[in-house]
Amino acid sequence: MSERPGPYEQRPPLPVLRRTRVLAVTLAALAATALAGCGGGAAAGDGQGGRTKESLPQPGQSATERAAPSDAPTPSSASQPLAGKTVVIDPGHNPGNFDHPREIAKQVDIGTNRKECDTTGTASNDGYREADFNLDVSRRLRDLLEKQGATVKLTQDDDRPFGPCIDERARIGNEAEADAVLSVHADGSAPGHRGYHVILPAQVKEGSADTTKIVGPSRELGEQLAEEFGRATGTEPSNYVGGGTGLHVRDDLGGLNLSTVPKVFIECGNMRDAKDLALLTSPEWRQKAAQGMANGITTFLAG
Ligand SMILES: [Zn+2]
């Protein structure tokens, strides 16, 4: 079927003891709650309200008095914590990929292997396409990051007929010398598989792939994203991959293997699970998802 999930969307169920996994998930969730409760801190976003009030002219105040007091936070550190930072957002797949099966099947070099240029991504059983979800969330995220002062570039904005290929997606982040890159996805797994996870690059050094320098910072970025995404959306980490941590290391994704800047993927939920799908199809939830991502990126870059 044309809506079959791409090769990296569908993960086989892990052959481990179910009960152990459930316990691990519960413990991890409790740990996350405990961490959140002890002042993990509001990541982003609230600086603006304070500054707006501060800079409002008061009745009877002279121009000099209205000038910002010397100890006032500067716009770049308060309302624009991401000023000077470049973030590349990579909306996974492309709605046009469905019409270009031959082009996206072309093999490209990912260092460790050769792999298809791109895939269609998954879709819900009733036809809501992952590519459309990814693009919508990515645009919301772009708006939020730009408000924080970041320079934001999308690898595609439904402005090309298909792709880009996964090697080009990596190259766009590299050439932008991005401070962080986030590839936005939703998964296509079995019903009952729920929750989000962040995919981190493995240590890979083969051919044109060398992730040595990005493994550490990418993990840091991924941990912040997983925590803030869960907090903003009120959803749990994946119950089918990552052992309840919401983190999963992979060495088979060209977009990560070929990156020379900190980069992770996020799988926001499972489009083949009815409960997850009810969230993914809600514009309000997608806004929360984008906010969680923005908070994670801001904490990583400016926290
Ligand atoms: Zn995908």
Side-chain angles (χ1 to χ4, degrees), residues 8-9 92-93 119 121-122 130 134 184-187 267:
Y8 60 85
E9 299 299 339
H93 320 283
T119 61
T122 191
E130 183 204 346
N134 297 341
V184 177
H185 291 257
D187 214 352
E267 298 278 3

Side-chain angles (χ1 to χ4, degrees), residues 40-56:
D46 225 3
Q48 275 176 324
R51 279 203 58 76
T52 309
K53 241 183 262 166
E54 258 178 29
S55 49
L56 279 179

Side-chain angles (χ1 to χ4, degrees), residues 115-288:
K115 206 167 174 180
E116 294 149 301
C117 152
D118 205 4
T119 61
T120 58
T122 191
S124 70
N125 293 330
D126 60 0
Y128 179 45
R129 299 180 301 186
E130 183 204 346
D132 294 318
F133 169 85
N134 297 341
L135 201 51
D136 179 87
V137 172
S138 296
R139 287 169 172 162
R140 293 172 189 271
L141 176 57
R142 172 175 56 194
D143 291 348
L144 291 168
L145 291 173
E146 282 178 348
K147 278 186 199 146
Q148 305 280 327
T151 300
V152 182
K153 185 174 175 58
L154 263 60
T155 58
Q156 57 94 5
D157 196 6
D158 202 13
D159 52 357
R160 48 197 295 164
F162 64 91
C165 296
I166 51 178
D167 56 341
E168 188 184 347
R169 288 176 189 265
R171 202 156 52 237
I172 291 169
N174 297 345
E175 286 174 358
E177 297 179 10
D179 297 288
V181 185
L182 176 59
S183 193
V184 177
H185 291 257
D187 214 352
S189 189
H193 286 177
R194 296 201 58 194
Y196 64 88
H197 67 278
V198 176
I199 304 173
L200 313 176
Q203 168 65 49
V204 164
K205 193 169 182 185
E206 201 176 331
S208 50
D210 184 357
T211 59
T212 308
K213 286 187 187 150
I214 67 156
V215 166
S218 299
R219 172 168 283 271
E220 218 178 293
L221 168 63
E223 286 175 350
Q224 298 295 349
L225 274 165
E227 182 172 341
E228 295 295 345
F229 187 88
R231 197 197 306 258
T233 59
T235 53
E236 296 291 327
S238 169
N239 66 4
Y240 61 97
V241 67
T245 62
L247 300 171
H248 185 43
V249 177
R250 286 177 65 175
D251 64 3
D252 60 327
L253 297 176
L256 294 182
N257 287 1
L258 299 175
S259 185
T260 57
V261 292
K263 178 171 180 179
V264 298
F265 281 40
I266 187 163
E267 298 278 3
C268 297
N270 175 16
M271 301 195 82
R272 300 299 183 100
D273 176 85
K275 287 181 181 160
D276 268 14
L277 183 64
L279 301 175
L280 298 165
T281 52
S282 154
E284 291 77 22
W285 190 87
R286 292 199 296 273
Q287 187 63 30
K288 288 181 192 170

Side-chain angles (χ1 to χ4, degrees), residues 18-98:
R18 196 71 198 158
R19 253 179 223 178
T20 313
R21 292 184 60 72
V22 170
L23 180 62
V25 170
T26 312
L27 288 175
L30 283 173
T33 310
L35 278 176
C38 63
D46 225 3
Q48 275 176 324
R51 279 203 58 76
T52 309
K53 241 183 262 166
E54 258 178 29
S55 49
L56 279 179
Q58 299 302 312
Q61 225 179 9
S62 75
T64 318
E65 287 169 325
R66 283 202 297 272
S70 59
D71 61 347
T74 59
S76 62
S77 65
S79 62
Q80 301 238 298
L82 299 185
K85 303 289 186 186
T86 300
V87 179
V88 169
I89 306 170
D90 177 38
H93 320 283
N94 179 326
N97 284 1
F98 286 89

